[in-house]
Amino acid sequence: MQPLTLRWFLFVSVLACYVSAVAFVLYSLVTIQSDRYGDLAVEQVSLVSSSDDNFLHIVGIGITSSVRAVVLPEPEVAVRQFFLDGNFTRGLWFDGQTLLASYQANLLLCMQVDTDNTIQVLGSLRMPGLISQITKVGKRVLVSSGKNGFLLVDLTDPALPTLIGKVPGSPIWSTTHRDFRLSGQRVYAVDRKGQLFLIDMALAEPKVKTFPVDSSSWRVALHGERLATGSLNGAVELFDLDFEGIPHAVGRIQFDGGVRGLQLTDTGLFVALGNGELHLFDTTSWPQPQRRSIQPLGGQILDVVSLPERSQLLVSRSLRGLLSIDVSDLTQPQVGRNFPLVSSSREACIAGGLLASLSSRNLSVHSVSQVLAGHDKQPLPLDGYDQDIYTLGDKAYLLSLPELREGQNVGSIPHPVLRSVESLCERGPGQCAEAEHERIQTEQTCLVMAENYQSNLVHVFCRETEGGLPQWQTTLDLKIPSKAFWNEGRIYSISQDHSDGERPFAGTFRVYNAAVKSNPLHEGELVLPGTLYALAWFDPHFVLVAAGTGGLYVVDVADPTRPAVASHLSLPRHLSSFALVTNVISLGSTVYLAHRNGRLSQLDLSTPNSPRIVQVLDVPGHTRKMTVKDGMLIASLYQDGVYIVDVGNGDRWAPVGQLELPISVFDLQACSDKLFVSGGKAGLMTLPLPLRLSVRPQGQRHTRITLPSDLEPGNYHLYLYNETENLRVKSAFRIEAQKE
């Protein structure tokens, strides 16, 4: 028994020592972390101005010597009072408190806008087919479900919507109904098969009645006893409604372009066309309205909404937000300010001083007064320019595109022109400060870029003198969508080949010798599996290729006639969503990847033959492009602004935080002391680059942060961060303009 007892005693002793050691290590780690960093929290921020300098006095906890700080401007973001993000389709109804919308094609959502600035989902109902439009009359909801017909839903209890059944009547031949218009309790709609529908919801058992209209009609406008339909072939038909609601044709107006938006008021008829024009008619002479003016608005018009009890319209344009127009004088309409939206409004409803806006990505509610006020600083228009921004040395350029291109071969297309961003700023004095550029020495003298709108065309621009404007040299037609860049007399490109259904997607990497800039010669090529998104140079003789689900390729081009894969970073199949690599950029021996589903990753490529993932960061939105300047990595999040990471010289990874912008971010570039952001058709924004500030803790709860003396007037937000956490201080501070 003694040996057995001894072994038992030794086992218990060893187990106790092991548990104690583990507990000690865990306690020590927690203690070290809490002592080193703490939890960042700010209670108060005070701006102190003196004759010597400006500084912020911070009252908070966790702000130690390891904490860094930056300040960023507060853009005039369209602050949504309430919002939901998701996959929304068509169909919206709003009465100022209750919201009805379609979600994920066939789910009817019943929501309530509360007074505490939230949207509360009360109930939902899965419909038998696709929802294309919604309206509510009394306690019942009428839903257009394409060829399934018009469906009735009982909404006596908003938390428990119940399907009543299909509205009987004439057959439905179209899959969508763009508009529902109400006259009392009668609902009107049109389809693209030449039918105008009438459903009288005052009846206990309503029926569908149909009347003939133009075969391409898809928009309806209604005011009082007048009704108008608009068609894709440019026809606007006018109707009078009798006491039973039956429409009677009384007139017709023909336009050269298709109708995009249509509105009727007591004195006006407003027709928006596909060419961006808004036609204004005086309806006091109904049924023969007189055209009073034509207002060119530009862009793709999505919808026109009239404001109740106001002589104003809101025009929704693709990627350009909402534009207010005062139409009290039809002969001289006054175009107001634009209200940017990060996601184009497909439908809008106004009630109770609020505007509900529905896009494919989100449902948001704004105050009408906020929308009409618009923004003071509007993005500069990019009409006539490609949406990407290019840099050479420390200067930013835009690609000006010829207008007439369809049906022309490469030889007959007028060559494009590069313009500096400053020349665009000259269009709007005071909106974009022209930076003082130093003549920075750079070995690169040429820029190579592929267009966005015709991505098979790769243009070569070179400058003859340091600081001179690069001039066009030649255009390569690579026949299929491509990306390209220049490095030391050579052009490197990737082209995406299409799958034939049997083989997986693959692309081709090519090298061109551009010793003669006007006539680059093909040297070598390499087929790479995957969807090729982007490429970048990596010293001394490598090219990095972002290949979607194919991961990252490191291509050795020491021998440009025989490029070869030096290494390949791929992730397991079950992480394919993460593995979708869409962009790549390098800083020293460190490489940064952008992943489609809101992720950034840091790689160690000190050994090009063996790439190693160091860190991964989850960020909001969809990461697309990246730029690095002065140790700050800035990544575009498309509709969610940009995200900033302090990467130092490639040896650091400290997330700073997100900066929301009033436009979707298609591209961004940092050069000189500016961040240029392209919103495509929404325009160009210019922001100051984030600048690290000196943080001086003064005791346990007080900190002093000295501000730069050259901060431009405006509102700013403070960001505090270290390697483990970050904090965006909600309250902004304002720098006032100096009085002369």
Side-chain angles (χ1 to χ4, degrees), residues 519-558:
N519 187 28
L521 300 177
H522 178 268
E523 279 192 302
E525 65 180 53
L526 175 68
V527 175
L528 297 173
T531 304
L532 309 187
Y533 282 91
L535 71 171
W537 181 258
F538 184 78
D539 285 332
H541 50 75
F542 299 95
V543 175
L544 309 175
V545 179
T549 54
L552 175 73
Y553 291 99
V554 181
V555 181
D556 190 338
V557 291

Side-chain angles (χ1 to χ4, degrees), residues 625-646:
K625 302 291 186 68
M626 297 180 291
T627 185
V628 173
K629 180 70 173 178
D630 298 334
M632 292 289 184
L633 172 72
I634 307 172
S636 70
L637 303 178
Y638 189 43
Q639 296 184 351
D640 296 289
V642 300
Y643 199 91
I644 304 163
V645 183
D646 187 341

Side-chain angles (χ1 to χ4, degrees), residues 376-398:
D376 291 329
K377 296 182 179 179
Q378 299 293 327
L380 293 165
L382 284 177
D383 297 332
Y385 288 91
D386 195 52
Q387 68 185 27
D388 280 354
I389 308 169
Y390 309 94
T391 58
L392 182 60
D394 207 28
K395 201 153 189 172
Y397 298 93
L398 297 165

